[in-house]
Amino acid sequence: MAARLVAMARERYRFVMSPDGRPYAVALDGPNIALPLRNKGGLRQRLARLFADAYPGEVASQSALADTMTVLEGIADDGDPVPVHLRVGRAPDGAVAVDLGSADGRAVVVSATGWSVVERAPVLFRRSGAMAPMPTPVLDGDGLAKLHALVNMDTASFRQLVAWLVAAWIPDIPHPALVCKGEQGTGKSKAAQMFINLVDPSPAAKRSQPRDEKAWSRQAFSSWALCLDNISTIPPWLSDTLCKAVTGDGVVDRALYSDDDVVVLTFRRVLAMTTIDAGALAGDLAERVLMLDLQLIDAGRRRSEEELDATFDVVRPAVLGALFDVLACVLAVLPSVRLESMPRMADFARVLAAVDQTQGWNTLGDYLSTSANVATDAMEGDPFALAIARLVDQAGTWQGTAGQLLEALPAPPVRPPNWPKDATRAGGRVKRLAPLLRSIGISVDDTQRSRDRTRHKLLTLARTDPDQDTASAPEQASLWPGQNPNTPDEPPPDLY
C-alpha cells in the first residue's frame, strides 16, 4: 500500500526542500503552489483521497501514509533547497510576484514596465490557513482617491500610507511598522485592518498582543502582513521581537518528536499596530515605525462597519490596480535613486524617494519629520531617558561609569519598572537609548576607559547640535514629459 502511494505521488508531484528545512510537494500539472507533506490540507490528505478513488473498497492506512511521507521527505531532501515564498516573492528577472491566493494559483507580476495577472506564478508560493484570496486588480484611474475617501487622513499622511503599501510588496527590504495613532473614535482598528487586507488579506487581519515569542513566531510564519491591535504597553521582549521582525528575524526551535534536531524559522514581516500613546514605543522600536495620525470622525460622517466593509469590497480591485501602478513606477526608478544621507530604514527611505520622484509628492520629507517627532514622544515616555537629558542640560558634558551615572540620576519617588537596578543594567539602557538621545542632541560615547588599574568603562554624555540634515533624493529630470516632479499639487501621470 505504501509503495502504491509513493508511486501515485511521484506521478503527480515533484518534491522540494525549502531553505528552512521543510519538505513540500508541487503539482507537475497545476499551480506553482508548495503543499506541505503532513499538515492539514497538505499532500497526505490529498493522497488518501486519491488512493480511495483509484482503489475502490480500499482505504490507505495511517501507517502506510506515514511510511509514504517518510519516503517523500527523503526524495525532497535529495536536491538543493528551493526558495518558497509567502504571498510576495522576487522573480528571477527582478519582477515582484504577488500571490492572489486563489485556488487556480494566479498571481500579479509587477515589473518596471507595468503589471499583469498571470495564470502561473513565476515563483513558488506556499499557503497558510491565515491567508484569504485577494481580488483581481483592475485598471481604474481613480483608485487612490477611492482609498482616500475611506480613511480620515490629511493628504500628507495619506501619501505616506500609499508609499508604505507599495513598499510592503517589495520583499527584500525592511519595512517600518505602520502605527495608526489617534484618540478613541478615529477608526484606528478598522483602518489598520483595511490596510493589511490590501497587502495580505486574512480572515484575522487584526491580532491580539502575543503572550510570548513562540506565539509570535507562529503568527508571523503564517502571514506576510499582520496587525497588532490596541497596543497600550509593549514589554521589552515584544519590542525586541518586533524590531527583529522588521529587519529580519530568525527563531530556532526543537523539531517535532525530536530531541537533537531543530527547525529554523526565518522571516521579515510587514507590521501594523494601533495605539493611543506613542510613548509606549521603546527607543529602538520608535526608530522603525511610520507614525500616521488619524483624525476624529464627525458624528455626521461616521459609517457602520457593515457599510465600510461593503464599500471596501467594491473599491478594492481599483485600489489594488492603482497601487500596483505606483509600484511599477517605483521599480523603474529605484535602481537610480541615491540619498544624500542615509537615515535609519534607508531602504524604505529610497522607496519614498522613488515615490516622490514619480508622483511629485514629498513623502520622504514628511516621513523624516514624523520620525523625529516619534523619537521625542518615545523620550517623554521613558523616565530614565528624561533624567539623562536633564543631567546633560545641567552639566553640558558628563563623564563617569554606569554606576556613577545611576548615583547621579535622582530616582523618581515611585521607581518605574524599567528603571535600571544596577550598574550593568544602567550601561545597557544607555546603549539602547543612544539613538533617541542623539535625536535630541545628546551624544553617547562608551569607548573610553578609566586610567586607573580597574580600567572601568566610561560613559561620556555631551550636548551637541542635532543633525539638521535630512535625507533626500538628488534633483533628477522628470520621467514624464511636461511634468515637474516637485509640484505636489499636480495629479500623477496617466500610466494606463
Side-chain angles (χ1 to χ4, degrees):
M1 186 177 289
R4 284 182 286 171
L5 285 167
V6 170
M8 292 177 64
R10 300 187 75 168
E11 288 174 359
R12 294 169 172 80
Y13 298 92
R14 66 183 176 94
F15 300 92
V16 299
M17 188 73 70
S18 67
D20 60 3
R22 294 174 179 266
Y24 292 96
V26 184
L28 295 176
D29 184 17
N32 203 16
I33 303 297
L35 298 173
L37 297 192
R38 299 177 185 269
N39 294 2
K40 181 180 178 182
L43 182 65
R44 179 180 176 129
Q45 185 175 331
R46 299 191 181 200
L47 274 183
R49 187 195 64 194
L50 287 172
F51 187 87
D53 292 341
Y55 302 97
E58 288 190 67
V59 176
S61 66
Q62 293 296 321
S63 61
L65 286 169
D67 292 343
T68 301
M69 294 303 108
T70 301
V71 173
L72 298 180
E73 286 175 0
I75 296 173
D77 195 35
D78 196 39
D80 294 332
V82 175
V84 179
H85 306 276
L86 181 69
R87 184 65 80 176
V88 179
R90 181 76 77 167
D93 61 357
V96 171
V98 181
D99 182 15
L100 288 178
S102 54
D104 55 12
R106 291 182 304 152
V108 177
V109 177
V110 189
S111 67
T113 58
W115 61 269
S116 61
V117 178
V118 298
E119 297 298 321
R120 182 178 173 84
V123 300
L124 187 59
F125 284 115
R126 65 179 175 90
R127 303 275 177 83
S128 78
M131 291 177 61
M134 180 184 292
T136 304
V138 297
L139 290 173
D140 186 323
D142 209 24
L144 295 184
K146 291 177 178 178
L147 176 61
H148 199 178
L150 290 176
V151 295
N152 49 318
M153 291 180 178
D154 59 25
T155 301
S157 296
F158 176 72
R159 289 174 174 176
Q160 290 182 74
L161 168 66
V162 171
W164 182 85
L165 290 171
V166 168
W169 285 315
I170 301 178
D172 38 20
I173 67 169
H175 310 87
L178 180 71
V179 178
C180 296
K181 176 175 171 276
E183 59 181 278
Q184 294 179 358
T186 55
K188 300 183 300 297
S189 298
K190 194 64 183 176
Q193 178 184 2
M194 199 181 304
F195 306 152
I196 292 299
N197 278 331
L198 282 172
V199 175
D200 181 21
S202 171
K206 294 185 297 184
R207 317 284 175 88
S208 300
Q209 183 170 308
R211 63 179 180 273
D212 55 34
E213 190 172 356
K214 240 181 201 183
W216 161 255
S217 65
R218 286 193 295 268
Q219 291 189 29
F221 187 71
S222 62
S223 297
W224 169 249
L226 63 161
C227 171
L228 299 181
D229 195 24
N230 289 326
I231 298 295
S232 55
T233 59
I234 302 180
W237 74 265
L238 181 57
S239 179
D240 292 343
T241 299
L242 295 179
C243 289
K244 290 185 289 184
V246 166
T247 55
D249 197 1
V251 177
V252 179
D253 195 8
R254 184 178 68 86
L256 189 63
Y257 308 126
S258 172
D259 292 326
D260 56 357
D261 197 10
V262 297
V263 173
V264 179
L265 306 180
T266 57
F267 43 76
R268 176 186 288 136
R269 290 295 176 258
V270 175
L271 305 176
M273 295 186 292
T274 64
T275 184
I276 294 178
D277 180 19
L281 304 176
D284 45 358
L285 181 58
E287 287 196 314
R288 294 172 170 88
V289 303
L290 171 61
M291 183 76 69
L292 297 181
D293 281 312
L294 274 71
Q295 301 167 351
L296 189 64
I297 305 173
D298 296 332
R301 297 178 55 242
R302 192 174 296 277
R303 290 185 279 180
S304 66
E305 287 206 15
E306 182 180 3
E307 183 183 357
L308 277 173
D309 289 338
T311 305
F312 180 64
D313 289 339
V314 170
V315 305
R316 185 155 52 147
V319 173
L320 289 172
L323 292 174
F324 285 134
D325 278 326
V326 178
L327 177 58
C329 294
V330 168
L331 294 179
V333 303
L334 191 59
S336 63
V337 170
R338 298 292 182 270
L339 301 181
E340 294 176 359
S341 61
M342 300 293 280
R344 197 71 179 264
M345 305 298 295
D347 294 283
F348 177 69
R350 291 183 64 242
V351 173
L352 295 180
V355 170
D356 294 343
Q357 182 180 334
T358 58
Q359 305 301 311
W361 296 349
N362 186 38
T363 59
L364 179 56
D366 293 337
Y367 166 69
L368 294 174
S369 299
T370 303
S371 297
N373 295 335
V374 172
T376 302
D377 292 342
M379 278 283 297
E380 293 175 352
D382 193 316
F384 189 68
L386 289 177
I388 292 176
R390 284 194 295 267
L391 175 65
V392 176
D393 285 340
Q394 296 170 2
T397 299
W398 184 93
Q399 186 178 67
T401 65
Q404 292 170 339
L405 175 64
L406 203 55
E407 293 176 359
L409 298 178
V414 179
R415 187 184 296 267
N418 61 350
W419 191 274
K421 294 182 175 133
D422 53 43
T424 301
R425 291 181 176 87
R429 287 279 288 139
V430 172
K431 191 74 171 176
R432 292 173 68 96
L433 289 171
L436 280 184
L437 294 171
R438 195 178 302 113
S439 69
I440 63 168
I442 298 177
S443 65
V444 178
D445 180 14
D446 63 351
T447 61
Q448 302 182 45
R449 296 275 179 173
S450 62
R451 297 182 179 275
D452 57 17
R453 61 183 181 180
T454 60
R455 303 288 294 168
H456 288 303
K457 180 184 289 188
L458 297 178
L459 296 173
T460 303
L461 309 173
R463 171 62 67 185
T464 60
D465 292 329
D467 187 6
Q468 300 297 329
D469 295 333
T470 58
S472 61
E475 294 293 332
Q476 302 188 39
S478 173
L479 298 175
W480 317 108
Q483 184 193 13
N484 181 0
N486 296 317
T487 54
D489 293 332
E490 292 185 11
D494 186 1
L495 305 178
Y496 315 113

